């Protein structure tokens, strides 16, 4: 059974700003402890981020025709053929 590194470190009493070094096989591992508050809010909007200058001029659409819709009766499906009783 393997345990994740985060689960293993939860079992250890860590010091703020502490640096821990250890060797696992041929790997040297370093763990740095830093107490930071996660930022859940996005970064503020910078005025230089806003790009309002258009890169091209699009022509205005020309109206072709005006269509007026009228309600119509619903389209009913075709009546399926009914089999006749051939066992008489």
């Amino acid at each position: 059974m393997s345990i994740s590194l985060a689960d293993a470190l939860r079992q250890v009493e860590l010091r703020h700003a502490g640096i821990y070094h250890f060797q696992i096989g041929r790997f040297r591992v370093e763990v740095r402890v830093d107490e930071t508050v996660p930022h859940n809010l996005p970064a503020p909007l910078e005025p230089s981020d806003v790009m309002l200058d258009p890169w091209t001029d699009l022509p205005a659409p020309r109206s072709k025709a005006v269509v007026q819709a009228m309600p119509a009766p619903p389209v009913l499906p075709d009546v399926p053929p009914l089999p006749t009783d051939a066992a008489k």
Side-chain angles (χ1 to χ4, degrees), residues 2-88:
S2 64
I3 185 170
S4 71
L5 181 59
D7 291 336
L9 289 175
R10 281 190 190 96
Q11 299 174 10
V12 179
E13 186 176 335
L14 300 173
R15 293 174 309 170
H16 174 67
I19 300 174
Y20 302 92
H21 303 275
F22 52 94
Q23 186 89 20
I24 299 177
R26 60 186 178 99
F27 298 109
R28 183 173 168 266
V29 180
E30 176 179 293
V31 176
R32 293 177 182 261
V33 179
D34 186 20
E35 185 177 0
T36 59
V37 177
H39 296 286
N40 294 334
L41 299 176
L45 183 65
E46 295 289 326
S48 63
D49 292 339
V50 178
M51 296 187 296
L52 296 177
D53 297 330
W55 59 274
T56 185
D57 291 328
L58 299 175
R62 290 180 263 153
S63 60
K64 297 288 182 180
V66 177
V67 178
Q68 186 174 3
M70 301 289 292
V75 179
L76 299 176
D78 293 334
V79 178
L82 298 175
T84 59
D85 190 16
K88 286 186 181 183

